[in-house]
Amino acid sequence: MDINLTLIGQAMAFIVFVYFCMKFIWPPIIQALEERQQGVADGIAASDKAHTELAAATDKSEAIIAEARERALEIVDQASQRASQVMADAKSDAVAAGKRLVEAARSEIEQESNRAKDSLRGEIASIAIAGAGKLLNREVDKKTHADLLDKLAAEL
Amino acid sequence: MATEGQSAGEYIQHHLQNLQVCRVEDQWVWNQCSGNFWALNVDSMFFSVFLGLLFLISFRQVAKKANSGVPSRFQALVEVLVEFVDGSVRDTFHGKSKLIAPLGLTIFVWVFLMNVMDLLPVDLLPQLGQLIGIPYLKVVPTTDVNVTFGMSISVFVLILYYSIKIKGIKGFTREMTLQPFNHWAAIPFNLILEGISLIAKPISLSLRLFGNLYAGELIFILIALLGVYQLPLHFMWAVFHILIIVLQAFIFMMLTIVYLSLAQEEH
């Protein structure tokens, strides 16, 4: 427990150790720490920046999607309008064509019936002539009485 | 574990005896140096320098490879310590000094390592030493009052150096003589008051560390006298001592920083 030379030895060792620590240990470690701190700060700043950029990009993409959706709706609208118009046109075309067909058929039927009436008239005339000839016992000259026969046929 | 034929008192005495060497009448004499200032406590010096070198070499390895990338485990530990000391210095010392922070780191780690020797079983190294013919071995350097005074007196010199460097001889003298009572008649009184408060700093610094560790070591030795029953007690005291070890190292560092920051502040 006596105070002795150890005190001076320890003080010298202490001074040497502190000097060594100050020269060769503290500066590189504290520098590395500061660099890492800077790096972490930069990283955080970069991630913040990336975050805001991402938010902006998301906003932009959402706007584009909304616009596209609107546009698509518009196109679909136009298409359906067009389709209904085409349908309506087709319907009216079809109706007109049907009417035309019915008309044609009707006129044909009329012609046909007229023709049948005409031939019936002719036959009736010939039957009448034949009948009259039989009645008169002589032949009616078809040529001389053609006018008469025609008149008759027209009256039938 | 007291050896056969050795009383408890002798056992304790034996454990508290440093291995000393001195020169008497041109001859190296071992352990008959009481009262001789020129004696050297070989065990204290050996362990303190050994632990100091352990600290410096292991930290130097980290410092050489230090980079701002992903740290290795040991580098992370060293960085935690460095940041802890750096933070303590920044909080307390409001000046610019390249010395204070490394000084704090050296004190903290070195004192901690010297205190940790206290956790080794009290008989382990002394018994091994006796096997190779070393009669006395005190393994905890901080239980040697020379070691703690060696450090605190160095700190004291630094306190004086900073006081004079910042305030000048004139300012320092004025502070010593004209405070707390600013009157010429009070100069002797002030000188005594300020002188005592100045001298008290290194003395309290070293005696605090020495007293805590010496008492802790003594209790370990007393517990070791109990035979087999020492084991649970030894364990409990060791667990409690872990706290003391770190705390005393921290207090020594912190008070050094505080004293130096007081020294460089104008009153």
Side-chain angles (χ1 to χ4, degrees):
Chain A
M1 272 265 280
D2 313 319
I3 295 290
N4 59 28
L5 196 61
T6 316
L7 188 150
I8 295 168
Q10 175 73 13
M12 270 156 45
F14 181 68
I15 291 164
V16 171
F17 288 174
V18 168
Y19 179 79
F20 186 86
C21 182
M22 187 175 80
K23 278 281 170 227
F24 301 110
I25 292 177
W26 189 267
I29 293 179
I30 205 77
Q31 195 193 344
L33 279 176
E34 269 160 16
E35 273 169 20
R36 171 152 341 114
Q37 204 171 16
Q38 191 59 45
V40 170
D42 289 353
I44 289 173
S47 94
D48 276 353
K49 201 178 154 207
H51 215 71
T52 52
E53 274 172 8
L54 177 67
T58 311
D59 281 357
K60 206 172 164 191
S61 77
E62 265 168 14
I64 289 171
I65 288 171
E67 202 192 314
R69 196 170 284 148
E70 213 167 284
R71 185 118 176 75
L73 275 176
E74 216 170 87
I75 287 169
V76 167
D77 231 28
Q78 276 180 1
S80 69
Q81 257 177 22
R82 185 81 190 278
S84 58
Q85 201 183 340
V86 166
M87 208 120 95
D89 284 359
K91 210 183 249 172
S92 63
D93 279 0
V95 168
K99 264 185 189 159
R100 251 201 323 279
L101 278 177
V102 168
E103 209 65 41
R106 195 173 281 155
S107 63
E108 203 168 314
I109 288 168
E110 211 163 297
Q111 276 178 0
E112 210 51 52
S113 75
N114 283 348
R115 208 175 296 137
K117 273 177 189 169
D118 283 351
S119 67
L120 270 176
R121 239 177 246 137
E123 268 179 40
I124 286 172
S126 56
I127 289 169
I129 289 164
K134 268 176 190 163
L135 283 174
L136 295 174
N137 266 340
R138 59 173 177 128
E139 257 187 59
V140 178
D141 187 10
K142 270 186 189 169
K143 274 177 194 160
T144 37
H145 300 287
D147 285 350
L148 191 70
L149 284 172
D150 278 348
K151 226 185 240 172
L152 195 67
E155 271 167 25
L156 279 171
Chain B
M1 180 173 55
T3 335
E4 296 292 322
Q6 195 183 28
S7 75
E10 282 168 351
Y11 175 75
I12 294 170
Q13 275 297 315
H14 180 263
H15 265 287
L16 296 179
Q17 175 64 48
N18 280 108
L19 177 70
Q20 289 181 321
V21 66
C22 57
R23 208 164 160 79
V24 178
E25 290 161 3
D26 280 346
Q27 287 204 315
W28 293 107
V29 183
W30 293 87
N31 287 306
Q32 279 160 20
C33 311
S34 96
N36 187 346
F37 178 79
W38 298 106
L40 188 70
N41 294 346
V42 178
D43 45 3
S44 297
M45 275 316 290
F46 171 75
F47 282 112
S48 77
V49 170
F50 171 75
L51 293 168
L53 288 177
L54 189 72
F55 153 63
L56 289 180
I57 290 168
S58 56
F59 274 52
R60 177 65 189 151
Q61 292 304 313
V62 170
K64 263 196 276 188
K65 284 181 278 178
N67 57 50
S68 54
V70 179
S72 66
R73 275 158 200 254
F74 187 62
Q75 191 189 341
L77 173 70
V78 168
E79 284 175 359
V80 166
L81 283 171
V82 167
E83 275 211 314
F84 166 67
V85 173
D86 195 43
S88 302
V89 171
R90 266 174 220 273
D91 287 346
T92 315
F93 187 83
H94 303 293
K96 278 207 165 177
S97 171
K98 281 191 170 139
L99 174 66
I100 306 298
L103 176 73
L105 181 72
T106 310
I107 288 174
F108 182 67
V109 180
W110 195 19
V111 171
F112 172 73
L113 287 174
M114 290 195 281
N115 291 353
V116 159
M117 296 300 284
D118 213 1
L119 291 180
L120 289 177
V122 282
D123 274 315
L124 179 65
L125 291 180
Q127 289 282 333
L128 288 175
Q130 284 198 331
L131 286 181
I132 57 168
I134 297 173
Y136 299 102
L137 195 61
K138 228 172 133 186
V139 294
V140 191
T142 38
T143 58
D144 185 346
V145 81
N146 290 300
V147 169
T148 58
F149 264 110
M151 289 191 290
S152 75
I153 287 174
S154 310
V155 171
F156 181 61
V157 171
L158 274 177
I159 293 173
L160 293 180
Y161 170 74
Y162 271 92
S163 295
I164 292 171
K165 186 186 165 198
I166 304 291
K167 299 161 194 158
I169 297 267
K170 224 174 172 182
F172 182 59
T173 316
R174 194 174 296 135
E175 195 180 287
M176 291 295 288
T177 51
L178 296 177
Q179 275 187 2
F181 304 112
N182 194 356
H183 189 274
W184 62 267
I187 284 177
F189 179 73
N190 289 338
L191 198 59
I192 292 169
L193 207 66
E194 287 290 312
I196 288 173
S197 86
L198 192 66
I199 299 293
K201 284 173 184 173
I203 292 177
S204 69
L205 200 57
S206 61
L207 286 185
R208 180 183 300 105
L209 179 61
F210 164 73
N212 272 282
L213 271 292
Y214 189 79
E217 176 77 350
L218 198 60
I219 288 174
F220 272 126
I221 294 168
L222 291 175
I223 290 172
L225 281 169
L226 290 176
V228 184
Y229 304 108
Q230 70 177 278
L231 290 174
L233 268 176
H234 188 281
F235 174 75
M236 276 165 56
W237 182 243
V239 169
F240 180 61
H241 216 60
I242 292 172
L243 181 71
I244 295 176
I245 284 168
V246 183
L247 198 63
Q248 288 304 322
F250 174 69
I251 288 172
F252 201 108
M253 176 195 84
M254 211 56 213
L255 283 179
T256 302
I257 298 168
V258 169
Y259 290 157
L260 289 174
S261 87
L262 284 177
Q264 58 95 52
E265 261 167 27
E266 304 272 353
H267 289 280

